[in-house]
């Protein structure tokens, strides 16, 4: 089954920055909107950000707006999440996910995910 | 922002039917999506646009909707269906995604 591969997680001090990446072996990402979703320890899924297929539109969850930036490099088939001013409550598993499209009709679902990368914000 | 409400847990015996509900204000105007999440694994889309099943998802998974509530039904539950299930939708503008709090399905 096709999956995305996240990387870049780790342990970081509060206030510092981290950049996550998402690779997509076997998928041409430029055709799809892409998301970041996270799951804090013991909590549910939380939507973080989305970027349109061409990178011109970006939207963010309330808890990360102004601190996180989603971007993509379609020439390298990769997705990124730049996380600045990290806080303890940003500690989570971060998943990247591909927007769901069927026969060029796209909806608001996410049909291919990675297994996530762990980000721990701690002093 | 919006909220989607799910029951924290549902328990059924193998072969029985599990129903997981999701309620919230955006649902009359926006489609809902359902995901299965097992620990350490990638989430799986099991239902999209309220009632549609992606290819590869067993027929025992189905979805329905009624005004402000959508429902995931698993008919003839199997042990492998034990997982957390999340509903998801967007706001009316389609620029803000929201997940329900998740439901832990236990197969007794």
């Amino acid at each position: 089954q096709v999956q995305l591969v996240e990387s870049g997680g780790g342990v970081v001090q509060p206030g510092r920055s981290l950049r996550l990446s998402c690779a997509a072996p076997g998928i041409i990402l430029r055709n799809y909107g892409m998301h970041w979703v996270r799951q804090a320890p013991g909590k549910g899924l939380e939507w973080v950000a989305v970027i349109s297929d061409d990178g011109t539109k970006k939207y963010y969850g309330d808890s990360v707006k102004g601190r996180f930036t989603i971007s993509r490099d379609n020439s390298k088939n990769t997705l990124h999440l730049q996380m600045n001013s990290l806080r303890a409550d940003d500690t989570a598993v971060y998943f990247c996910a591909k927007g769901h499209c069927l026969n060029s009709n796209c909806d608001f679902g996410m049909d291919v995910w990675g297994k996530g990368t762990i980000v721990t914000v701690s002093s | 922002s919006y909220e989607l409400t799910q029951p924290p847990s549902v328990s059924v015996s193998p072969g029985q039917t599990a129903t997981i509900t999701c309620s919230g204000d955006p649902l009359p105007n926006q489609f809902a999506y359902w995901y299965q999440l097992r620990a350490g694994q990638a989430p799986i889309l099991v239902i999209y646009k309220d009632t549609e099943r992606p290819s590869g998802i067993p027929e025992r998974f189905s979805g329905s909707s009624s005004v402000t509530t959508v429902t995931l039904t698993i008919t003839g539950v199997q042990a492998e269906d034990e997982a957390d299930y999340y509903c998801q939708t967007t706001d009316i503008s389609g620029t803000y995604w929201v997940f329900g709090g998740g439901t832990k399905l236990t197969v007794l």
Side-chain angles (χ1 to χ4, degrees):
Chain A
Q1 185 175 356
V2 178
Q3 277 190 354
L4 305 175
V5 180
E6 302 91 343
S7 61
V11 181
V12 61
Q13 292 180 330
R16 303 297 290 266
S17 300
L18 205 60
R19 187 184 194 226
L20 306 183
S21 297
C22 172
I27 305 173
I28 302 174
L29 290 186
R30 67 173 179 266
N31 297 328
Y32 306 101
M34 295 293 297
H35 298 260
W36 286 98
V37 176
R38 69 185 182 183
Q39 184 178 30
K43 303 293 186 182
L45 297 177
E46 179 189 10
W47 174 72
V48 173
V50 64
I51 186 168
S52 60
D53 54 1
D54 60 2
T56 59
K57 300 184 184 72
K58 304 174 185 181
Y59 303 104
Y60 298 91
D62 290 341
S63 59
V64 307
K65 200 174 297 183
R67 299 187 300 123
F68 289 12
T69 301
I70 189 171
S71 64
R72 64 191 302 160
D73 185 341
N74 285 341
S75 67
K76 296 182 179 179
N77 210 41
T78 55
L79 174 73
H80 302 284
L81 185 68
Q82 178 67 42
M83 305 185 296
N84 298 333
S85 303
L86 282 161
R87 311 185 303 222
D89 62 0
D90 294 318
T91 294
V93 177
Y94 285 74
F95 300 97
C96 62
K98 167 187 157 296
H100 177 245
C101 299
L102 188 63
N103 299 327
S104 299
N105 293 315
C106 299
D107 53 50
F108 295 110
M110 309 171 201
D111 65 343
V112 181
W113 297 64
K115 290 187 176 182
T117 186
I118 299 174
V119 173
T120 303
V121 183
S122 174
S123 54
Chain B
S1 60
Y2 297 91
E3 286 190 3
L4 295 177
T5 301
Q6 298 180 233
S9 62
V10 168
S11 299
V12 297
S13 298
Q16 291 190 329
T17 296
T19 58
I20 301 173
T21 58
C22 171
S23 60
D25 287 341
L27 294 177
N29 301 302
Q30 297 295 91
F31 285 120
Y33 304 80
W34 289 94
Y35 302 88
Q36 178 191 71
L37 179 56
R38 297 192 186 97
Q41 298 192 20
I44 297 172
L45 176 69
V46 296
I47 294 290
Y48 67 98
K49 292 173 72 173
D50 288 353
T51 62
E52 302 297 316
R53 192 173 54 249
S55 62
I57 300 301
E59 290 184 6
R60 64 181 180 272
F61 288 86
S62 64
S64 61
S65 69
S66 174
V67 194
T68 58
T69 300
V70 291
T71 302
L72 174 69
T73 301
I74 310 172
T75 304
V77 167
Q78 300 183 6
E80 67 197 48
D81 300 330
E82 186 164 283
D84 294 327
Y85 291 85
Y86 292 86
C87 60
Q88 170 253 308
T89 191
T90 59
D91 69 352
I92 192 67
S93 68
T95 62
Y96 196 97
W97 276 250
V98 61
F99 286 93
T103 298
K104 181 175 180 60
L105 175 64
T106 299
V107 181
L108 301 171

